[in-house]
Amino acid sequence: MKTLVICSGGLDSVSLAHKIAAEQTLTRLVSFDYGQRHRKELDFAARAADRLGVPFHLIDMRGIGAVLTGSALTDDVPVPDGHYTEASMAATVVPNRNAIMLSVAFGLATAQGDEAVATAVHGGDHFIYPDCRPGFAKSFQAMQNHALDGYANVFLYTPFIDAPKSAIVTEGARHHTPFADTWSCYKGGDMHCGRCGTCVERREAFHLAGVADPTAYADPDFWEIAISRKAAC
């Protein structure tokens, strides 16, 4: 399939882009600037597109992001430390973010003649993010089938939706993803903090996959504390 990949510049979506490039026809990478404090991730997405030899589309959603208030990713709210299974991680939810991004991506895919939109949502996202769950993906596909009825058929491709993040690391390694050239940390500092939910999940995924983690973390050992706290709960 001719496939567009929504790529944030993170480990998951860059690994997905490399997987699509190897297994299908990768047509383009699409990123969204919604005013996220870790906007530096977009530079990693642009580099992925350049590396894979496809167009890079950066969609300016800052005006929309400005009204999706209350999230630690867009507001002056501290990014919580810990594992994604902790209730505090709800502070990182940006209301309806994936639904908005997917709608734009489906429109772009239709306009460009692409057959699929791929996104790297995975099983570890389900606890916190409702728009990363299988039920959402199924319903979104049904909605798009109606929205494009008689005009186009675009498939929502979510190969990791029931898989743990460690499986993405395994797939990424299989397709030679340069993990060091991806960005996950929600705090957006000079280096990965090692303490926020996405840093903890990233470090844990490499550990479970048995793949060396090339990432430099400001606090490289905190993930073990977070995992122990998760196990205790």
Side-chain angles (χ1 to χ4, degrees):
M1 290 184 295
K2 294 190 294 182
T3 304
L4 169 162
V5 172
I6 296 177
C7 185
S8 67
L11 183 154
D12 306 337
S13 59
V14 173
S15 294
L16 176 61
H18 278 260
K19 175 181 172 67
I20 297 295
E23 299 177 351
Q24 300 183 30
T25 301
L26 177 66
T27 58
R28 67 198 77 252
L29 300 188
V30 180
S31 293
F32 297 87
D33 181 353
Y34 55 94
Q36 61 269 48
R37 69 171 71 209
H38 57 299
R39 189 187 184 280
K40 66 184 297 178
E41 66 178 356
L42 302 175
D43 295 332
F44 292 83
R47 291 209 291 268
D50 184 64
R51 183 170 60 247
L52 294 169
V54 296
F56 177 64
H57 303 265
L58 178 58
I59 309 299
D60 187 349
M61 275 181 30
R62 286 174 294 177
I64 296 173
V67 299
L68 303 180
T69 57
S71 173
L73 304 191
T74 55
D75 272 3
D76 189 19
V77 177
V79 175
D81 294 337
H83 196 276
Y84 267 131
T85 55
E86 297 181 42
S88 60
M89 293 301 144
T92 63
V93 172
V94 178
N96 223 33
R97 177 181 59 175
N98 279 1
I100 296 168
M101 292 179 180
L102 281 169
S103 292
V104 174
F106 264 73
L108 176 58
T110 301
Q112 297 297 324
D114 294 333
E115 299 168 290
V117 170
T119 182
V121 295
H122 62 87
D125 291 330
H126 297 175
F127 183 78
I128 294 298
Y129 303 119
D131 54 2
C132 292
R133 297 171 186 161
F136 167 80
K138 182 178 180 180
S139 296
F140 189 89
Q141 180 72 73
M143 181 269 288
Q144 283 297 309
N145 290 345
H146 287 290
L148 298 174
D149 184 34
Y151 186 69
N153 292 306
V154 180
F155 175 61
L156 177 57
Y157 184 47
T158 56
F160 305 137
I161 199 163
D162 291 315
K165 194 181 185 80
S166 57
I168 300 178
V169 172
T170 300
E171 273 292 278
R174 189 165 73 90
H175 294 297
H176 310 291
T177 302
F179 295 122
D181 203 20
T182 65
W183 184 267
S184 297
C185 183
Y186 278 161
K187 295 185 181 181
D190 292 333
M191 64 191 303
H192 284 76
C193 73
R195 299 181 63 92
C196 69
T198 189
C199 276
V200 168
E201 187 191 44
R202 179 185 176 110
R203 182 66 186 85
E204 178 188 28
F206 277 103
H207 172 73
L208 294 174
V211 174
D213 184 356
T215 314
Y217 299 96
D219 190 342
D221 300 321
F222 177 78
W223 75 279
E224 294 181 289
I225 298 171
I227 298 303
S228 297
R229 199 159 61 198
K230 168 191 172 185
C233 293

